[in-house]
Amino acid sequence: MPTVGFIYPDHAAEDDYPFAERLLGYRFSLPVEHIYGTDLHAVPELLDLGSEQRLADGAALLAKHEPDAVVWACTSGSFVYRWGGAHEQVEKLAAAAGKPASSTSFAFVRAAERLGLKRVAVAASYPDDVATLFVEFLARGGIEIVAMSSEGIDTAAEVGRLSPGAVIDLAVGHDHPDADAVLIPDTAMRTLGVLETIEERLGKPVLTANQVTIWEGLRLAGDVPESGQLGALFRWR
């Protein structure tokens, strides 16, 4: 069975991963191991959270699962390193794990490329300064941002407590008519259960952090399945 290991910071919405296993018919193993630091959405804390040693510790925890690929399941803890630093972060993680590796930030860029998205709206839960760094990262990846909103939520724990209805409202309320898709960049937010509802409401693709992270891991492992329950990204062949 193909196995993708995920390094997840603290605890918030990690139940999206076993939920994805179920939606994919238990054809894949998606184990999650946790590393710990502050869950504050602030640049110094995020740089510490995504540090080389913390990710090496996460890779060591995943080793028992014998993953085919490893993904750092944290958007802010990767894009905060900027484009070049995020590449270096992933290279060091791959070396520590001895497996292909990536991060959620690169997953967004590659997923947008896979769907042919050129212009997007960003509906971020982060404070404005952190959300702006995500926009800069996307732009470096060749994606035009036509609208960006930031909810100003300070911690991942608060994001993890958002109701399904609040997540839907966040996405729908921050669409833009010129956007090819809406991007929701926080792995602390449970989104897999409402993806189809949001896409139906908007009539366009929606990319969310846990969705693209899982897709990226499966891509690295060499087997992205079709699914009618994980958004346009998993329906596009």
Side-chain angles (χ1 to χ4, degrees):
M1 177 185 297
T3 299
V4 180
F6 300 93
I7 302 171
Y8 192 94
D10 293 282
H11 296 274
E14 64 269 29
D15 48 351
D16 261 359
Y17 294 82
F19 182 56
E21 284 185 338
R22 180 166 69 81
L23 293 181
L24 294 172
Y26 298 105
R27 289 172 289 159
F28 305 89
S29 178
L30 307 175
V32 175
E33 294 289 349
H34 298 268
I35 59 173
Y36 296 94
T38 178
D39 72 343
L40 190 64
H41 289 144
V43 173
E45 286 78 6
L46 292 168
L47 288 169
D48 175 69
L49 187 63
S51 66
E52 179 180 359
Q53 186 56 57
R54 288 191 188 276
L55 295 190
D57 291 344
L61 291 170
L62 283 171
K64 63 179 175 288
H65 301 287
E66 299 183 352
D68 299 298
V70 172
V71 185
W72 170 217
C74 183
T75 327
S76 55
S78 47
F79 68 68
V80 75
Y81 280 82
R82 309 294 180 96
W83 189 261
H87 272 286
E88 185 176 341
Q89 180 188 58
V90 166
E91 289 166 2
K92 289 179 177 178
L93 175 57
K99 302 290 181 180
S102 189
S103 68
T104 305
S105 293
F106 287 118
F108 270 109
V109 172
R110 290 174 185 137
E113 180 180 311
R114 182 69 183 89
L115 288 173
L117 306 176
K118 300 299 183 184
R119 297 174 300 278
V120 304
V122 172
S125 54
Y126 315 124
D128 188 71
D129 62 329
V130 176
T132 297
L133 291 177
F134 180 59
V135 166
E136 291 175 1
F137 191 93
L138 293 175
R140 182 64 179 79
I143 300 168
E144 179 185 349
I145 293 79
V146 297
M148 188 274 280
S149 61
S150 54
E151 293 297 293
I153 301 176
D154 288 326
T155 67
E158 293 173 86
V159 175
R161 290 193 289 269
L162 292 174
S163 69
V167 173
I168 293 170
D169 290 344
L170 173 73
V172 173
H174 296 300
D175 184 23
H176 188 282
D178 294 334
D180 299 328
V182 175
L183 275 56
I184 306 175
D186 197 337
T187 58
M189 191 183 299
R190 290 179 181 85
T191 58
L192 299 192
V194 295
L195 256 173
E196 294 294 320
T197 298
I198 297 170
E199 289 193 341
E200 287 172 8
R201 291 272 297 274
L202 294 178
K204 64 180 64 174
V206 175
L207 298 180
T208 75
N210 288 325
Q211 173 211 34
V212 300
T213 300
I214 291 164
W215 175 86
E216 174 78 340
L218 293 170
R219 185 190 68 82
L220 288 176
D223 191 357
V224 178
E226 288 190 84
S227 172
Q229 301 177 79
L230 286 169
L233 181 60
F234 279 81
R235 292 194 298 271
W236 187 275
R237 302 297 286 176

